[in-house]
Amino acid sequence: MLQVQNLRAWYGETLALDGIDLHVGEGEVVCLLGRNGAGKTTTLRAIMGLLKKREGRISIQGKPTEGLPPEAIAHLGVAYCPEERGIFASLSTEENLMLPPVLHPGGLTVEEIYQVFPNLQARRKSPGTRLSGGEQQMLAIARILRTGARLLLLDEATEGLAPVIVQKIGQTLEMIRARGYTVLMVEQNFRFAASVADRFYVIEEGRVASHFHRAELETRRDEIEALLGL
Ligand code: ATP
């Protein structure tokens, strides 16, 4: 689904990614881990085409994205859910939901979204600001499921949420996996990541420092904890 080879990207003159190599297979849930400032968010943003200055090869379902703007990358079936969630305060839940255009057949209808997220239906008329952090995160995810994107880039979905809500986000990701979506996520909460992802990349100074499968979490525990500073 996604291939990234030797990805380098800059903010102005500052090099932020220094040769990232990774791949995500169709239907996989893959997580980027690493310390603050390592380059995880920048990797998602570069894949979405949000960093103009980038080099290397990124392909989505075999199609190279070199030189493409974010809207063209969205047309390849990719959606990005940023850490700050991007919920519009002055719009209702439903208006936020309806905002992004449906780009592909197969996106969830509003009715299907309300079946999956009944709390959003209960809050459909509430302005974005009235939603709790957890509800905002659900809305941010629901909104991209409507577009029909099949590759979801999720940045720190659990940031700032209470443990019980983190659990709900975990259930949402399970639902997303069961429906065959592909997910590349950034996560600081290692325990949460370990419970939802199939594979992991540790990013360090703009490069992949290590890569492991869920099955290796125990066998390589000391190495992984050292890398993440746990
Ligand atoms: P965090 O969890 O803190 O967000 P991260 O691994 O996601 O960490 P990035 O946000 O990708 O890290 O940042 C990678 C590097 O790029 C850091 O050195 C950061 O200071 C720098 N950087 C991030 N955003 C910008 C920006 N808008 N302008 C300039 N430099 C930036």
Side-chain angles (χ1 to χ4, degrees), residues 89-189:
S90 57
L91 300 181
S92 70
T93 297
E94 191 152 291
E95 286 165 342
N96 268 287
L97 202 52
M98 301 302 280
L99 208 59
V102 176
L103 297 176
H104 307 275
L108 300 192
T109 63
V110 173
E111 290 69 33
E112 286 171 322
I113 284 173
Y114 286 152
Q115 275 167 21
V116 177
F117 303 98
N119 53 334
L120 292 183
Q121 183 167 28
R123 309 285 259 133
R124 53 196 277 258
K125 296 230 160 71
S126 305
T129 39
R130 291 278 179 82
L131 302 183
S132 68
E135 287 169 335
Q136 289 194 14
Q137 185 59 57
M138 301 284 183
L139 176 55
I141 294 175
R143 187 162 69 173
I144 59 176
L145 295 179
R146 213 186 127 257
T147 66
R150 297 300 295 174
L151 169 60
L152 312 181
L153 308 175
L154 305 183
D155 201 349
E156 303 220 16
T158 64
E159 168 81 24
L161 302 180
V164 58
I165 310 297
V166 169
Q167 229 176 10
K168 284 201 171 154
I169 303 285
Q171 288 162 2
T172 304
L173 281 174
E174 283 306 324
M175 177 279 294
I176 286 172
R177 177 209 296 281
R179 286 175 180 251
Y181 287 89
T182 305
V183 177
L184 178 61
M185 58 192 262
V186 167
E187 194 47 67
Q188 288 285 357
N189 181 339

Side-chain angles (χ1 to χ4, degrees), residues 11 16 34-43 45 83 156 186 188:
Y11 289 107
R35 298 170 198 239
N36 287 344
K40 306 177 297 295
T41 294
T42 307
T43 302
R45 298 190 74 226
E83 186 178 346
E156 303 220 16
V186 167
Q188 288 285 357

